[in-house]
Amino acid sequence: MPQLKITYFDTHGGRAEPVRLALAIGNVAFEDHRFAFPAFAEVRKSTPFGQVPTLEVDGVQVTQCDSMLRYAGKLAGLYPEDAYQALLCDEVMYVVEEASVKMGPTYRMTGEEQKAARLALVNGSVPVYLRWLEKQLLAHGGEYFADQRLTVADLKVFIDVRTLNSGRLDHVPTDLVEQVAPALNAHAKRIAEHPAVVAYYAQFAK
């Protein structure tokens, strides 16, 4: 098994969290290098695009979170082997990432600018993404997004839904998901109760 190191903010959300979670569920060892936000200015100097997360594989640095997640899924047995099911998995991951890209700039805003930008998303593209995800989930049985089992697509949606529900995003109603796509909340609850997910987060509660 390769030597792995994930570098990302010290948070239980964001783009690295599905990767961490996939490796943990698959019992794949990795170095979890977390840093506080003030250290980002220095950390970013050593990354290809001045951004994180990064994944080191036997000392080789890799960027792009969905590429990392697909790789982690393959190592952990959480990525479909069937080409069509892999396509469905990738489709969901890219849709969530597209939504994250739209939300991303608002983290650098404050005050009325941030409020206006986030309300525009809440009243515009975010419900569109959520409804599409719910439709895909229900179309494939209602429990998982692909392969009739837990895959990295489920982990990516789980982290995104949990973030939207968290109350940490100012001007994003905590009941947005419940109002727009309640099946996604039921899905997130199932993922959160998965024994391996419970065990992963339990280590941080000590």
Side-chain angles (χ1 to χ4, degrees), residues 73-94:
K74 291 178 179 180
L75 292 181
L78 297 174
Y79 188 77
E81 294 184 5
D82 176 81
Y84 179 64
Q85 294 301 320
L87 173 65
L88 296 178
C89 184
D90 288 349
E91 181 185 31
V92 168
M93 287 167 34
Y94 293 153

Side-chain angles (χ1 to χ4, degrees), residues 50-205:
Q51 60 191 30
V52 289
T54 60
L55 171 67
E56 290 182 29
V57 183
D58 290 333
V60 177
Q61 189 182 66
V62 178
T63 186
Q64 301 304 320
C65 59
D66 282 338
S67 297
M68 298 176 207
L69 184 54
R70 190 182 302 107
Y71 176 69
K74 291 178 179 180
L75 292 181
L78 297 174
Y79 188 77
E81 294 184 5
D82 176 81
Y84 179 64
Q85 294 301 320
L87 173 65
L88 296 178
C89 184
D90 288 349
E91 181 185 31
V92 168
M93 287 167 34
Y94 293 153
V95 165
V96 175
E97 186 60 24
E98 187 174 283
S100 297
V101 167
K102 290 182 183 296
M103 183 67 73
T106 70
Y107 287 95
R108 297 187 291 274
M109 301 175 185
T110 57
E112 289 300 313
E113 181 188 26
Q114 184 185 76
K115 180 178 180 179
R118 286 191 172 166
L119 288 179
L121 293 174
V122 166
N123 295 313
S125 63
V126 174
V128 174
Y129 289 120
L130 292 174
R131 291 189 183 103
W132 183 89
L133 288 168
E134 182 179 60
K135 182 179 178 181
Q136 292 301 107
L137 179 66
L138 296 176
H140 297 100
E143 291 195 17
Y144 302 109
F145 282 95
D147 222 22
Q148 297 295 308
R149 65 186 181 94
L150 182 68
T151 68
V152 288
D154 297 291
L155 301 182
K156 182 109 175 175
V157 174
F158 166 63
I159 296 302
D160 188 61
V161 167
R162 195 176 66 166
T163 299
L164 291 173
N165 290 341
S166 68
R168 296 194 303 270
L169 297 179
D170 291 342
H171 317 298
V172 175
T174 56
D175 64 347
L176 177 63
V177 178
E178 187 62 32
Q179 293 298 320
V180 172
L184 296 183
N185 270 347
H187 170 267
K189 185 174 185 293
R190 283 194 300 274
I191 302 302
E193 292 172 350
H194 188 288
V197 176
V198 172
Y200 172 73
Y201 286 113
Q203 66 181 310
F204 298 103

